[in-house]
Amino acid sequence: VAASGAALLVDYGADRAVTITIFSQGESQLAMGLAMFIVGIPVWLVHWRMVQRSLAAVPWEAQALARRIYLYLVLAVSAALAAFGLVSLFRVWLGSETFNGVNLALPLVWGGLWVYHWHVVESQSWTGRTADPVRRLYVYVTSWYGLGMLAVGVGIVLWRALLQAYDSLFATELLISGSPGLWGDATASGLAVAVAGGAFWWWHWHRVVRDDAGSELRQVYLHLFT
């Protein structure tokens, strides 16, 4: 709730920074964002401090299934939303989409949430962390859709390149009538999806589980993707 409220506030602030006219629904968005943030942050802080005090008193609490599920569930949700936001932000940078505050809010807020919780996970030192099935499930699922995004994005870019090559050879009348050429919204979207997905796939596959060759879940991932 707090993160959603923060995203609404960043969206509102970014829209206000780049536009002169503020629509009436912007004030409603500001009120909703403030309400969600003001209510959500204290609730989260109170319970999170209870969890941290419990961890300090009983160190093996770091291995608790509920804690691991919480951490990796937050990582999974925030990674997916941050990836979606990065795609839209890259599309703005590439000129295929008009800027909207949400383009900045999603990667900034949910990306920050992911960074914080990943730091929490990595700061925990307990035997068997890298072999944790909950961790492996998160990493391989994120690697799976990250590689899928990379493949789809590259496929779109190649499709536009091959289509342009075909048109230039066999369909010259389309070029005369004002064909958008190689660079267009489709190419920019494909490039944005490829970059965002490739970044997530590279980090999780080549950094986090690069030494996890003996995992059964890794074999499932490889054969499922194949």
Side-chain angles (χ1 to χ4, degrees), residues 5 7 16 34 42 65 67 81 132 138 149 156 188 194 199 224:
R16 186 160 186 172
L34 284 172
L65 179 62
R67 178 183 177 88
L81 290 173
D132 180 9
Y138 156 73
M149 291 172 63
I156 292 174
L224 180 63

Side-chain angles (χ1 to χ4, degrees), residues 83 86-92 94 96 149 153 157 186-198:
L86 283 175
V87 170
S88 63
L89 186 61
F90 290 156
R91 279 172 50 85
V92 172
L94 295 172
S96 66
M149 291 172 63
V157 174
T187 305
S189 297
L191 189 58
V193 171
V195 170

Side-chain angles (χ1 to χ4, degrees), residues 27 44 53 62 65 73 86 90 95 107 145 160 170 190 218 224-225:
E27 302 302 329
W44 175 75
R53 284 200 300 267
L65 179 62
L73 184 60
L86 283 175
F90 290 156
Y145 74 71
R160 288 301 307 169
F170 304 109
R218 184 186 185 91
L224 180 63
F225 207 98

Side-chain angles (χ1 to χ4, degrees), residues 97-174:
E97 184 175 330
T98 305
F99 178 79
N100 188 296
V102 72
N103 304 136
L104 184 63
L106 286 178
L108 186 64
V109 173
W110 292 102
L113 200 65
W114 183 91
V115 169
Y116 172 74
H117 281 81
W118 185 258
H119 172 73
V120 171
V121 167
E122 290 299 293
S123 65
Q124 297 176 170
S125 57
W126 54 277
T127 304
R129 184 189 64 183
T130 56
D132 180 9
V134 181
R135 175 189 177 92
R136 281 173 167 168
L137 182 62
Y138 156 73
V139 171
Y140 286 116
V141 168
T142 307
S143 299
W144 183 79
Y145 74 71
L147 185 54
M149 291 172 63
L150 175 61
V152 169
V154 171
I156 292 174
V157 174
L158 289 176
W159 162 64
R160 288 301 307 169
L162 293 172
L163 185 61
Q164 178 67 17
Y166 179 86
D167 286 345
S168 63
L169 291 173
F170 304 109
T172 55
E173 68 277 2
L174 295 180

Side-chain angles (χ1 to χ4, degrees), residues 18-102:
V18 299
T19 60
I20 298 175
T21 304
I22 302 299
F23 299 101
S24 58
Q25 61 265 29
E27 302 302 329
S28 300
Q29 177 180 334
L30 175 61
M32 178 62 72
L34 284 172
M36 295 176 71
F37 188 77
I38 291 173
V39 171
I41 279 292
V43 172
W44 175 75
L45 282 176
V46 167
H47 290 84
W48 186 243
R49 285 180 64 84
M50 292 171 60
V51 169
Q52 295 299 89
R53 284 200 300 267
S54 177
L55 182 63
V58 186
W60 55 260
E61 178 74 14
Q63 306 178 34
L65 179 62
R67 178 183 177 88
R68 285 149 47 205
I69 290 176
Y70 163 78
L71 289 172
Y72 289 109
L73 184 60
V74 172
L75 285 171
V77 172
S78 57
L81 290 173
F84 177 79
L86 283 175
V87 170
S88 63
L89 186 61
F90 290 156
R91 279 172 50 85
V92 172
W93 287 344
L94 295 172
S96 66
E97 184 175 330
T98 305
F99 178 79
N100 188 296
V102 72

